[in-house]
Amino acid sequence: MYPDLAQSSAIPVGQGAALPGALAQRVVVVGLGYVGLPLAVALAGRFETVGLDIDARRIAELNTGHDRTGEIDRDRLEASTLALTADPQVCPPADFYIVTVPTPIDGANRPDLRIVEAASRTIGAMLGAAVAEGRVPVVVYESTVYPGVTEDICAPILEQVSGLVCGRDFFLGYSPERINPGDREHTIDKITKVVSGQTPEVLERVAHLYGAITSGGVFRAASIKAAEAAKVIENAQRDINIAFMNEISQIFSKMDLSIWDVLAAARTKWNFLPFAPGLVGGHCIGVDPYYLSHRAEQLGLDPRVILSGRGINDSMAGWVAKELHTARKGKPGNVLMLGLTFKENIPDLRNSKVADLVSALGRLGHGVTVHDAHADAHEAVEEYGIPLVEDAFKRKYDMVVLAVPHREYLALGPGHFRALLKKGGTLADLKGVFGQAADWSL
């Protein structure tokens, strides 16, 4: 007998009643970060849903109605029927187990599958109970991987731990995540969801599950591998296009030509792609191309375009640091860095390239003070050894760098930051949002 979730470490967030028929399908979402939590909350509106995350602090925060990622607001979280737990043993048998854990890279830029493998072992231990209850469970992966990981790496782990046979006792599906942190337009309930399944019948089950929560409909991929590949090339394509923008920024800077002036003219052509230069960090675009290049190299291929784009984007922070140093005529000074997160208006610090910029400026002799309107100060120190200074606006600097255009900085405007400059100081704008008011921009 499985414990009542309300009596265990899995506690319902809200007090709303489940929808009629919700008990017919039960879902367990493994991993409650930027991807998993919005998905779990959406599913809880239609099905009996349990959210599992091994981070007990994360579960405790969610049970108080606080989502540190900022993706789900307090009212929606507290109204949800989603149950939460950090203990896999209290998860009831389910029809679907959905994996939404991170898939990072290691220090050598190789895929690090340890987290998704651990999640597979956790689910493998649950499958027997689901089968014993008469369910035919489907394990759906959303984590970004290269083609083949779901079937060739995760499936054997599930079989080994459960003692069951994949394709007979349980089945596989893959539906690539498309969460864009901070994006309130392309949310899980509005986007087209790519779905795939091990068999035609499983595909329809997965399509029905996701089709119930999004008005954008579902696209049935030809295979699990096709769905895995679709996800990884989506981000690789963006990475390559941004790399081109970064490369031409470097070219035009040698010609004393503003990239923003060039783009303003070029974008008047109907089929010009509206990409822009910048620091490419985060958990997707800065990581996923390495998954595809890794698989290509395993197959004996040389992924020159992918790795070239990655090389340009990974080196961009160093190039910007040198340009800023040159703008100061090679004189080290005190620098205020505005923003540390990988993009604007979110607290996500994963793979922050601004952290690389801070380090590069430090190596050139500059003293850098960092302020961020959204990031968690404890996480910044833990992840990068960078302290965030709350009262950074109470002193003057030789250079102020707008690295991440959080709405709070835009509201203050360039005049506010010019007032923080010492005589002869430099206002630098990495995103071109301050226009002619900046002394330096990409």
Side-chain angles (χ1 to χ4, degrees):
M1 187 72 178
Y2 286 85
D4 179 2
L5 293 180
Q7 302 296 322
S8 71
S9 59
I11 304 172
V13 174
Q15 302 302 317
L19 294 178
L23 291 177
Q25 294 285 320
R26 185 181 289 148
V27 185
V28 173
V29 177
V30 181
L32 297 176
Y34 283 88
V35 175
L37 182 63
L39 174 64
V41 170
L43 288 167
R46 297 298 300 271
F47 310 100
E48 182 183 350
T49 306
V50 178
L52 170 64
D53 197 297
I54 62 172
D55 183 352
R57 186 167 73 96
R58 172 72 165 156
I59 296 299
E61 289 176 354
L62 293 175
N63 273 320
T64 66
H66 172 61
D67 170 24
R68 73 177 79 141
T69 70
E71 293 299 306
I72 304 295
D73 62 41
R74 181 178 297 275
D75 290 344
R76 189 178 175 201
L77 194 55
E78 292 180 345
S80 175
T81 58
L82 175 67
L84 298 167
T85 185
D87 184 0
Q89 295 186 7
V90 304
C91 290
D95 302 279
F96 290 95
Y97 297 89
I98 304 179
V99 179
T100 59
V101 299
T103 44
I105 53 177
D106 64 17
N109 293 328
R110 296 171 302 199
D112 183 353
L113 296 173
R114 289 177 296 176
I115 301 174
V116 77
E117 289 171 348
S120 298
R121 286 190 288 271
T122 296
I123 293 172
M126 300 179 186
L127 293 176
V131 172
E133 197 172 87
R135 300 176 187 268
V136 182
V138 179
V139 184
V140 182
Y141 289 84
E142 289 213 1
S143 304
T144 303
V145 292
Y146 56 79
V149 168
T150 298
E151 295 163 292
D152 301 337
I153 295 178
C154 296
I157 294 174
L158 294 169
E159 288 187 318
Q160 180 183 19
V161 175
S162 68
L164 301 172
V165 177
C166 183
R168 184 191 70 189
D169 304 312
F170 69 90
F171 294 85
L172 301 172
Y174 186 85
S175 181
E177 62 91 357
R178 281 177 168 170
I179 294 294
N180 182 24
D183 188 338
R184 297 297 176 258
E185 179 181 354
H186 303 98
T187 51
I188 186 66
D189 59 328
K190 298 174 185 175
I191 61 172
T192 299
K193 206 72 168 72
V194 173
V195 296
S196 62
Q198 193 171 4
T199 69
E201 293 77 17
V202 170
L203 172 60
E204 291 310 310
R205 287 181 63 190
V206 177
H208 176 266
L209 179 78
Y210 284 102
I213 63 170
T214 178
S215 61
V218 297
F219 177 87
R220 293 164 174 80
S223 66
I224 288 175
K225 286 186 175 68
E228 291 170 322
K231 170 57 182 177
V232 78
I233 71 163
E234 288 172 14
N235 287 331
Q237 181 189 65
R238 286 186 57 79
D239 192 46
I240 291 166
N241 278 284
I242 296 171
F244 174 66
M245 292 291 115
N246 282 336
E247 186 168 66
I248 62 174
S249 294
Q250 296 179 31
I251 294 170
F252 294 152
S253 74
K254 294 290 187 182
M255 304 167 66
D256 196 26
L257 191 58
S258 167
I259 181 64
W260 307 111
D261 290 344
V262 174
L263 291 178
R267 285 171 179 166
T268 61
K269 189 170 188 287
W270 61 90
N271 60 352
F272 185 81
L273 301 178
F275 288 94
L279 303 179
V280 184
H283 63 294
C284 286
I285 300 177
V287 172
D288 297 350
Y290 284 122
Y291 274 72
L292 186 56
S293 64
H294 171 79
R295 184 59 180 143
E297 289 168 343
Q298 285 183 327
L299 296 169
L301 300 173
D302 181 12
R304 288 175 292 174
V305 173
I306 297 170
L307 290 179
S308 177
R310 272 287 75 226
I312 291 170
N313 288 340
D314 276 346
S315 66
M316 192 64 178
W319 179 81
V320 170
K322 291 178 181 177
E323 290 295 299
L324 293 176
H325 187 64
T326 299
R328 292 289 307 156
K329 295 181 169 53
K331 298 178 181 178
N334 296 319
V335 178
L336 172 60
M337 188 69 60
L338 298 172
L340 183 63
T341 59
F342 88 85
K343 64 178 290 190
E344 60 272 17
N345 304 323
I346 63 170
D348 197 341
L349 287 169
R350 288 176 294 176
N351 193 27
S352 167
K353 295 304 179 183
V354 181
D356 293 348
L357 175 58
V358 171
S359 297
L361 286 170
R363 290 192 295 272
L364 291 170
H366 299 271
V368 185
T369 298
V370 181
H371 181 278
D372 194 289
H374 291 264
D376 179 82
H378 175 77
E379 184 181 354
V381 172
E382 188 175 71
E383 188 71 21
Y384 301 109
I386 296 177
L388 298 181
V389 181
E390 290 189 15
D391 62 351
F393 297 170
K394 294 182 178 180
R395 53 179 293 195
K396 289 186 178 291
Y397 301 88
D398 297 300
M399 181 180 292
V400 175
V401 181
L402 179 64
V404 186
H406 291 310
R407 64 177 70 92
E408 291 84 354
Y409 301 149
L410 299 184
L412 291 172
H416 177 87
F417 298 112
R418 277 211 164 277
L420 299 180
L421 291 173
K422 298 176 184 177
K423 185 177 180 180
T426 303
L427 177 61
D429 176 11
L430 302 192
K431 289 286 189 175
V433 295
F434 285 163
Q436 298 300 317
D439 300 308
W440 185 93
S441 66
L442 282 176

